[in-house]
Amino acid sequence: MNRSVHTLSICLNAAGVPWSKRRSGSAGHASTLIALAFIFIAASAATAQQQSVVDSVHNLSASGPGEVRAAAEEQVCIFCHTPHHASPIVPLWNRSMPLDAYTPYTSRALDAEPGQPTGDSKMCLSCHDGTIALGAVLSRPNPIVMRSGITVMPPGGSNLGTDLSDDHPVSFRYTSALAAQDQHLRLPANLPPEVRLDANQEMQCTTCHDPHNNALGDFLVMHNEDSNLCRACHQIDSTDILGHSNCSACHTPHTAASGPYLLRGTNITESCMDCHDGTVPDAPNISPDLHKISVHDTNRDIDPSEPIPFDVTCTDCHEPHTMKHGSASAPQAPLNFGDASGVTLTGAIIPVAQFEYEVCFKCHADRSAVPPVVTRQVMTDNLRYKFDFTAVSYHPVAATGRNNDVPSLRPQWTTASMIYCYDCHNSDAGVRSGGGGPDGVHGSSHAPLLARQYSMIDYTSESATSYALCYHCHERNSILGDESFPTHRKHIVDERTTCSTCHDAHGISSHGSTINNSNLINFDLSIVFPDPSSGRLEFIDQGRFAGQCFLSCHGENHSPRAYGD
């Protein structure tokens, strides 16, 4: 039979509208459409190609264009529909329906409650789950023989199997109540006309796919350029990062490696690294950082049932759908954080962090994921208390510093300056660390995730490298010139005492005192011990660059020892 005039069975209503164009409505309406169906039309040439089921791979007849087709059967519609002796399922269904033995999609973030497939989805699955022979139709006593010995849907992307946990959820009611529950869903009333729910207001396979029309590829009901089909339902926030604006760059609607969240990788890290591994020119390459001795990301499972301390992934700091290019100033949250959530200085959980430190507080404050590196006199591992403006002494992360007299500050800093957490904790290859790589707390050769070397090992020989982290902001010549503390050189150079022996870099909470813990003084108890004469372990601030200490360190007793005027 000449292909150009090949006759095609297709369902039309009285107005000549194909079945595939029907809107969700009453079953009776659909029945009316089907009752008028199955007339023959001539397929037009190139302009109609793929708009007709006859030219698509859904034509399983012997004349079909796909690899999966019948050996001799010429009827096109028979594989799904029959005009007589059909099942009681609309529209004139000619196949047995599969068993309700599916594993539906689920994730902790899903508000919908998909159960076993229903309606159109179940019809699609009667071929696409691979359990029922393609040629097994109700109108024939024996299955239609397919070419090449094929019986059921061959393995591959078209065979979804019965495990639908890695496929976009279907057969759930998409209601206004659901949209109200999930702010990222559009109201059903605002869906474009091409995207239709069924008569029960359920999302089905046919919400995205028109089985009779493959003009747009993948039988989509509308173009998905710029993720238009995805955005028809998903109210995604804006991003100016090109790679993040395309849903399909990270997600796939079927057979997703991750299962939950339908990611292309097995988890979030793997999905992000698909672009951020140096293979995509515009995507920062963080792959080298993830292989250093100190790494933030733990390659977390996709959907752990309970949060696990130390378990961190990219989206804990970056909200990929809202990330932007551009710069910000401390303490404002960097634009490439997007709308990441956070914890405020007061401990309130907020959906969108305003300040960088609020994102860090999610893991390093009340829910401290990292044990203290140094055991000190005044102990707290809650950075919220250490950086609070009521703290005794602190680096200016959440508020400008208390000390207005810091002669060692390098020219780019003043006592009114504020800093980011990632001024100290950053990739050692990042731009802010003096390298050429991407900034960010992804990984470093200096633990714990430090931008530069900062030795905390007792008896370290002083050098510009040993304390590069401190010297990035504090002028080395000023420190060793004893401009602020008269015996800095003696301690650091002669006695080889580290900065961290006396100073607590983050700060001292209000549990300390302004007399004993000014200037970030909070002794390392593994190195500094009580003065054996008095039993005291104490620093006493006595005014500008003056004070005295009761302690024992490196075999020398301060009982007390005073300095300054």
Side-chain angles (χ1 to χ4, degrees):
M1 186 178 293
N2 188 317
R3 180 74 175 274
S4 65
V5 294
H6 182 83
T7 52
L8 161 66
S9 299
I10 190 168
C11 311
L12 298 181
N13 64 15
V17 178
W19 172 82
S20 59
K21 298 292 185 186
R22 67 185 169 88
R23 292 176 177 274
S24 60
S26 68
H29 180 59
S31 299
T32 302
L33 293 175
I34 299 307
L36 297 173
F38 294 102
I39 65 173
F40 291 97
I41 64 172
S44 61
T47 56
Q49 192 171 19
Q50 297 282 309
Q51 291 182 357
S52 163
V53 70
V54 75
D55 294 310
S56 77
V57 293
H58 275 175
N59 176 5
L60 299 183
S61 74
S63 60
E67 291 296 321
V68 179
R69 60 181 190 271
E73 176 60 51
E74 289 293 332
Q75 291 193 46
V76 175
C77 301
I78 193 172
F79 292 89
C80 294
H81 308 286
T82 180
H84 304 293
H85 308 298
S87 77
I89 301 170
V90 175
L92 295 171
W93 195 241
N94 197 24
R95 298 181 59 79
S96 297
M97 294 296 262
L99 300 175
D100 290 336
Y102 295 94
T103 302
Y105 174 90
T106 185
S107 89
R108 290 172 58 217
L110 186 67
D111 293 306
E113 297 178 353
Q116 292 298 311
T118 62
D120 292 349
S121 297
K122 201 164 183 179
M123 295 181 199
C124 298
L125 287 166
S126 70
C127 283
H128 286 282
D129 73 358
T131 64
I132 299 176
L134 296 168
V137 297
L138 302 179
S139 59
R140 295 284 175 85
N142 298 310
I144 298 169
V145 177
M146 308 298 288
R147 288 179 71 244
S148 306
I150 291 174
T151 53
V152 298
M153 183 69 74
S158 296
N159 186 341
L160 302 179
T162 58
D163 183 356
L164 305 181
S165 62
D166 54 3
D167 297 289
H168 193 286
V170 292
S171 304
F172 63 88
R173 281 176 56 76
Y174 188 151
T175 63
S176 299
L178 177 65
Q181 243 181 308
D182 185 344
Q183 61 176 338
H184 295 300
L185 288 180
R186 295 187 189 282
L187 287 169
N190 293 336
L191 298 181
E194 298 92 335
V195 177
R196 300 163 190 136
L197 306 175
D198 72 5
N200 294 321
Q201 212 172 345
E202 291 187 350
M203 170 167 282
Q204 303 289 8
C205 299
T206 48
T207 303
C208 296
H209 301 284
D210 180 344
H212 300 109
N213 187 342
N214 195 30
L216 304 179
D218 294 329
F219 296 93
L220 296 180
V221 297
M222 62 184 290
H223 276 295
N224 201 28
E225 292 174 0
D226 299 324
S227 305
N228 285 333
L229 179 56
C230 303
R231 292 174 190 275
C233 297
H234 294 278
Q235 201 160 244
I236 305 299
D237 298 308
S238 63
T239 173
D240 63 9
I241 297 176
L242 186 60
H244 287 201
S245 62
N246 183 355
C247 302
S248 62
C250 304
H251 301 278
T252 180
H254 296 293
T255 322
S258 68
Y261 307 102
L262 300 176
L263 297 173
R264 291 188 176 276
T266 58
N267 60 16
I268 293 170
T269 303
E270 189 176 304
S271 300
C272 295
M273 293 307 296
D274 197 35
C275 289
H276 292 279
D277 62 351
T279 58
V280 178
D282 293 334
N285 178 10
I286 64 169
S287 179
D289 283 340
L290 298 189
H291 296 87
K292 293 179 177 175
I293 61 169
S294 186
V295 177
H296 215 179
D297 191 282
T298 58
N299 210 29
R300 186 172 70 200
D301 288 343
I302 186 63
D303 209 3
S305 56
E306 295 293 337
I308 302 172
F310 297 96
D311 226 9
V312 180
T313 193
C314 311
T315 51
D316 286 312
C317 300
H318 301 281
E319 203 294 300
H321 306 107
T322 51
M323 291 172 63
K324 291 182 173 61
H325 292 292
S327 59
S329 300
Q332 299 296 322
L335 299 184
N336 68 359
F337 277 17
D339 290 345
S341 59
V343 172
T344 68
L345 269 177
T346 62
I349 298 172
I350 50 177
V352 180
Q354 181 181 358
F355 304 115
E356 181 232 24
Y357 60 82
E358 292 175 333
V359 175
C360 304
F361 283 173
K362 288 194 297 185
C363 295
H364 298 285
D366 304 82
R367 265 185 55 216
S368 183
V370 180
V373 175
V374 176
T375 302
R376 298 189 181 278
Q377 276 187 291
V378 181
M379 280 297 294
T380 176
D381 53 358
N382 188 332
L383 294 188
R384 195 165 60 78
Y385 296 149
K386 286 176 170 256
F387 286 130
D388 191 87
F389 59 87
T390 63
V392 171
S393 183
Y394 51 80
H395 262 119
V397 169
T400 53
R402 284 184 171 279
N403 191 349
N404 294 318
D405 192 3
V406 188
S408 63
L409 285 179
R410 298 187 69 178
Q412 67 267 37
W413 304 103
T414 72
T415 55
S417 298
M418 294 187 67
I419 62 175
Y420 279 123
C421 296
Y422 75 86
D423 278 311
C424 295
H425 298 281
N426 193 12
S427 165
D428 59 322
V431 172
R432 294 177 84 93
S433 305
D439 286 318
V441 194
H442 304 120
S444 173
S445 302
H446 309 299
L449 280 169
L450 294 175
R452 293 172 171 82
Q453 187 170 337
Y454 174 65
S455 177
M456 290 181 278
I457 301 172
D458 201 15
Y459 293 107
T460 293
S461 295
E462 192 281 335
S463 70
T465 302
S466 300
Y467 304 113
L469 186 68
C470 303
Y471 293 150
H472 178 61
C473 298
H474 296 277
E475 185 63 58
R476 183 182 179 213
N477 289 335
S478 173
I479 296 294
L480 301 185
D482 297 336
E483 289 185 359
S484 52
F485 175 48
T487 60
H488 253 149
R489 172 175 282 276
K490 174 178 173 54
H491 280 78
I492 302 172
V493 177
D494 299 340
E495 300 295 336
R496 292 183 295 151
T497 307
T498 67
C499 303
S500 66
T501 300
C502 298
H503 299 290
D504 186 343
H506 289 135
I508 297 95
S509 70
S510 58
H511 297 95
S513 78
T514 55
I515 298 298
N516 304 123
N517 301 108
S518 62
N519 306 302
L520 295 170
I521 299 294
N522 193 15
F523 296 121
D524 180 342
L525 297 184
S526 69
I527 299 173
V528 185
F529 304 98
D531 163 34
S533 299
S534 63
R536 296 166 68 179
L537 175 54
E538 189 176 11
F539 160 73
I540 300 175
D541 190 322
Q542 295 180 322
R544 186 173 190 267
F545 307 148
Q548 61 178 344
C549 291
F550 293 86
L551 56 82
S552 178
C553 185
H554 285 192
E556 292 194 24
N557 299 328
H558 297 23
S559 305
R561 188 164 295 178
Y563 66 90
D565 297 332

